[in-house]
Amino acid sequence: MAELKDTWDLTHMFESVKAWRDGMDEARALADELAGMQGTITKDADTLYLALQRNDKLGEKITALFVYAKMYFDQNMANGEAKDIYESADSIYTAIAEKLSFLEPELLELTPEVFAQYAQQNEGLKLYGFMMEGLFEQKNHIFNQQIEEILSKMGALGNSFEKIYDDLTVNDIIYPEITTPEGEVIEVNNNNYQIALNHPDAAFRYAFFTKLLGVYGQHINSITSVYYGSVKNDVFIAKSRKYESSRAMALSGNHIPEDVYDNLIATVRKNAEPLQEYVTLRKEVLGLPEIHFSDLFVPLVPGIDRTYTYEEAQKIVLEATAVLGEDYTAVLKEAFENRWIDVYPAKNKATGAYAIHSYGYHPFSLLNFTGTLNDVFTIAHELGHVMHSYYSNKHQPFVYSDYCIFTAEVASTVNEQLLFDYLYKNSQSDAEKALLLCNQLDNIRSTLYRQTLFADFENLTHKMVEQGMPLLPDVLCKEYRNLYAIYHGEDFVIDDVLAYEWARIPHFYRAFYVYQYATGISAAVSISKKILNGEADAVEQCRKFLTSGGSDYPINLLKIAGVDMAAPQPVEDTLQYFQDVLNELKPLLKK
Ligand SMILES: [Zn+2]
């Protein structure tokens, strides 16, 4: 049983469930008030200001209600009361969103000129300038009600491709069985994928992998058709909304220049050599005559036996991030000491780890700490999110307090990098050093190289459809195989089944999303390098970034942190860093 101090104190948000229910009534009342303004919100400056203020207040309230309910539920998913309020939070959320669906179209009746005039008449409106700018930009891609209705229905139809894919691959396909070297019969499915590919027996890994991808191969015609449908839908919506391309549409929301995407692919392709060198090193260290995809995940060095108590882990994370300043350390300590964190696994508690926040309250984090090295990294990671939210909430008005996915993983990954550096400098043995270096390499391989390969592939498929070419199984598999050859080099054996791997990746049904993993880690590695090299202003810039929330376009926010993601530099730096880590690892493995 976890001690109270290692669980959340949810009274920091609501005194009791009764107080939560009262909060729900307040939210309903706020929504009604705002709904009552329908048809009038743009009539003059003061009414507009009132509506936007009410909308913020409601947003604040409803997020808090939702966050509390989710946390209460995640602590003990068998708790009936928690389940009940979580479900009501969910349904009220939907109901209110529906009731207020008039808001955005009505705001869009304004023009930038009228809004500017209003902002002269009511100073308070200046706050909403950036938000309105984003809305006005969308306006060029929004049409009359009849077309909008059709497009929205098409959008709903478009979502069915992902649903079909999930149904096929999760529910319908019957996966074969395999016997592990330990004599256990397991199913060759995606749940067992990680364990199997980490198994020390190369023949078993290979058999598992070829069987699994073979299953996708057997269904390659259906999966191609579903994927083709999904890409056609992306292209259709983008064209109808008068975007230059489906990629332009996907990137426009956060104002990401398309150069960012092209630079990423070009830079990674140009710097594939370190990855290829790593592939060759793996082959040598694992003592394999040939290296296959199934050999890319197994740990190169044995794990260390050491475990950490939660107190030790706290101390390590505090010391590793101390470079970010006294104030940072003080808030982190408060998070540890003041029950912001639910630490240990428990019966019926949610698995995994996350950070969560709502405006006006401190953030919280859920962990399932068991004392492994990985768990220490998870603390650094999740507390990175906590601190980013803490500072953004403190320094931004509600409307700009939330950061978007493009910047979301930067603070957490910077912390992981600082932790790596600290542990590496304090490591006791070559074995520990080698383990840490290998973790770094595998992390960058799977987040930067691998996700860029995916980004490269979806870029190709969308371009093909935009040029009127059909997506056929043979063509997709050939293109995919070709990408593996470009990225992984000559030592790497491309098995025939590897060409089916694209069919296993659910993220492809969310087009132009995964590149953000690659840019995120690149930004984080660049920022942490600057900090660790003691570059002037590096800490200050990073601290300023943490306070910036969503107050500007993500590219501009990262410039505050000292990285220009529109230039190839951060990606180049990260790939150079990969090479440096590799050079450091090599002599340790040969000892
Ligand atoms: Zn994260």
Side-chain angles (χ1 to χ4, degrees):
M1 203 45 201
E3 284 180 61
L4 207 60
K5 69 177 176 58
D6 297 320
T7 60
W8 287 324
D9 187 348
L10 295 184
T11 65
H12 294 178
M13 292 189 73
F14 292 94
E15 198 48 60
S16 61
V17 171
K18 157 102 183 43
W20 185 90
R21 291 193 197 278
D22 293 345
M24 194 59 109
D25 293 338
E26 282 169 47
R28 275 198 205 94
L30 275 168
D32 287 341
E33 243 174 27
L34 187 53
M37 298 175 80
Q38 179 167 5
T40 67
I41 57 173
T42 59
K43 72 173 181 171
D44 59 52
D46 292 343
T47 313
L48 177 63
Y49 181 66
L50 183 66
L52 291 174
Q53 288 273 298
R54 281 182 175 166
N55 188 44
D56 282 359
K57 226 168 123 187
L58 175 64
E60 241 184 277
K61 190 102 228 165
I62 207 136
T63 324
L65 289 163
F66 198 82
V67 163
Y68 176 93
K70 176 176 169 53
M71 289 196 297
Y72 188 32
F73 177 67
D74 281 352
Q75 271 188 318
N76 178 3
M77 297 189 290
N79 178 338
E81 184 183 49
K83 189 161 187 269
D84 175 49
I85 70 163
Y86 191 31
E87 272 165 13
S88 28
D90 211 36
S91 58
I92 299 287
Y93 197 87
T94 318
I96 289 183
E98 216 162 277
K99 197 181 252 181
L100 298 180
S101 63
F102 72 91
L103 199 63
E104 210 170 282
E106 210 169 310
L107 286 174
L108 279 170
E109 283 166 17
L110 286 166
T111 62
E113 293 71 31
V114 173
F115 180 78
Q117 248 176 37
Y118 280 6
Q120 297 287 332
Q121 293 156 16
N122 185 325
E123 286 275 314
L125 280 173
K126 292 213 164 97
L127 172 69
Y128 297 98
F130 177 63
M131 181 199 90
M132 291 302 293
E133 193 185 303
L135 268 185
F136 288 139
E137 237 165 79
Q138 278 179 32
K139 207 171 171 173
N140 300 326
H141 305 283
I142 290 178
F143 307 100
N144 68 43
Q145 204 188 341
Q146 198 185 0
I147 298 179
E148 279 306 313
E149 249 177 59
I150 295 171
L151 285 179
S152 118
K153 280 179 186 147
M154 282 298 301
L157 207 58
N159 291 337
S160 58
F161 295 109
E162 188 179 5
K163 176 84 175 68
I164 298 169
Y165 175 77
D166 284 348
D167 272 338
L168 180 67
T169 56
V170 179
N171 300 326
D172 284 350
I173 288 182
I174 296 168
Y175 291 91
E177 287 179 337
I178 195 169
T179 308
T180 68
E182 292 75 31
E184 196 193 339
V185 178
I186 60 167
E187 196 172 273
V188 180
N189 61 22
N190 288 304
N191 291 336
N192 291 324
Y193 177 83
Q194 207 84 30
I195 304 168
L197 263 62
N198 276 293
H199 199 284
D201 187 324
F204 170 67
R205 293 196 299 263
Y206 184 75
F208 183 96
F209 169 73
T210 41
K211 266 194 173 196
L212 180 64
L213 285 201
V215 172
Y216 287 90
Q218 279 163 19
H219 296 85
I220 201 68
N221 290 303
S222 330
I223 297 177
T224 301
S225 297
V226 175
Y227 182 57
Y228 186 22
S230 172
V231 175
K232 269 197 287 195
N233 179 63
D234 295 336
V235 171
F236 169 81
I237 300 281
K239 253 193 198 148
S240 310
R241 292 213 174 276
K242 306 239 180 300
Y243 285 97
E244 294 239 331
S245 67
S246 48
R247 193 178 75 173
M249 177 172 74
L251 271 56
S252 72
N254 285 320
H255 246 242
I256 307 293
E258 289 195 71
D259 287 354
V260 171
Y261 204 100
D262 289 326
N263 276 334
L264 172 71
I265 290 175
T267 311
V268 173
R269 278 186 175 218
K270 210 164 52 189
N271 293 281
E273 231 168 273
L275 173 64
Q276 297 168 6
E277 209 181 307
Y278 180 49
V279 168
T280 304
L281 178 73
R282 276 193 155 265
K283 180 176 141 185
E284 286 167 16
V285 174
L286 295 170
L288 299 167
E290 284 182 342
I291 181 150
H292 298 258
F293 180 87
S294 50
D295 304 317
L296 291 180
F297 300 86
V298 61
L300 273 193
V301 293
I304 42 167
D305 277 338
R306 169 154 192 206
T307 55
Y308 303 80
T309 65
Y310 182 52
E311 284 64 34
E312 280 168 340
Q314 286 180 6
K315 190 169 162 273
I316 289 170
V317 172
L318 282 166
E319 281 174 15
T321 56
V323 61
L324 293 173
E326 276 173 29
D327 176 66
Y328 191 97
T329 302
V331 179
L332 207 51
K333 267 192 184 150
E334 201 191 331
F336 285 136
E337 285 161 13
N338 209 12
R339 299 182 60 198
W340 296 16
I341 306 171
D342 198 294
V343 183
Y344 296 105
K347 194 168 175 233
N348 298 320
K349 176 179 159 177
T351 56
Y354 63 72
I356 193 167
H357 69 101
S358 61
Y359 197 73
Y361 306 94
H362 65 71
F364 291 85
S365 171
L366 178 130
L367 304 173
N368 276 286
F369 184 81
T370 59
T372 64
L373 177 63
N374 235 336
D375 289 342
V376 185
F377 273 95
T378 303
I379 296 180
H381 182 101
E382 296 309 335
L383 271 292
H385 288 306
V386 163
M387 298 301 283
H388 192 183
S389 301
Y390 173 85
Y391 284 117
S392 287
N393 280 359
K394 195 170 158 190
H395 290 267
Q396 296 297 329
F398 171 75
V399 52
Y400 304 130
S401 59
D402 240 341
Y403 38 82
C404 72
I405 178 78
F406 194 84
T407 53
E409 289 305 325
V410 173
S412 54
T413 313
V414 164
N415 275 9
E416 282 188 58
Q417 293 298 317
L418 297 179
L419 176 61
F420 161 79
D421 184 75
Y422 175 87
L423 290 172
Y424 189 70
K425 282 181 179 146
N426 289 290
S427 59
Q428 310 288 329
S429 65
D430 282 353
E432 200 179 331
K433 279 198 166 75
L435 177 72
L436 288 163
L437 293 170
C438 282
N439 285 350
Q440 283 286 81
L441 290 177
D442 288 332
N443 195 7
I444 297 175
R445 187 191 71 77
S446 57
T447 316
L448 179 49
Y449 280 113
R450 184 168 166 76
Q451 302 300 330
T452 304
L453 187 152
F454 292 163
D456 208 338
F457 179 73
E458 59 181 345
N459 197 34
L460 287 173
T461 57
H462 282 79
K463 270 195 184 142
M464 283 168 70
V465 173
E466 271 157 3
Q467 287 161 5
M469 282 147 78
L471 299 183
L472 304 169
D474 289 353
V475 178
L476 291 183
C477 291
K478 196 180 124 233
E479 292 291 351
Y480 198 74
R481 200 189 161 98
N482 183 36
L483 288 175
Y484 259 95
I486 293 170
Y487 284 71
H488 291 73
E490 285 176 2
D491 246 349
F492 185 73
V493 180
I494 302 177
D495 300 299
D496 285 343
V497 290
L498 186 56
Y500 301 133
E501 198 208 12
W502 66 267
R504 213 202 123 237
I505 312 297
H507 261 133
F508 284 143
Y509 295 85
R510 206 167 165 189
F512 303 110
Y513 182 84
V514 296
Y515 82 99
Q516 301 176 105
Y517 294 124
T519 51
I521 194 170
S522 302
V525 168
S526 299
I527 293 166
S528 54
K529 258 178 125 182
K530 284 176 203 277
I531 293 172
L532 292 166
N533 290 340
E535 274 183 37
D537 303 338
V539 168
E540 205 180 311
Q541 286 175 328
C542 180
R543 291 290 311 265
K544 201 162 168 217
F545 164 74
L546 294 180
T547 66
S548 67
S551 57
D552 201 342
Y553 297 122
I555 290 287
N556 296 339
L557 296 180
L558 285 171
K559 277 189 189 143
I560 297 176
V563 285
D564 181 5
M565 294 311 294
Q569 184 91 34
V571 179
E572 279 170 5
D573 285 352
T574 307
L575 297 168
Q576 179 59 49
Y577 174 71
F578 185 89
Q579 179 73 61
D580 295 344
V581 173
L582 194 57
N583 294 345
E584 232 164 302
L585 174 67
K586 276 184 176 173
L588 291 177
L589 292 178
K590 280 177 184 143
K591 272 185 194 167

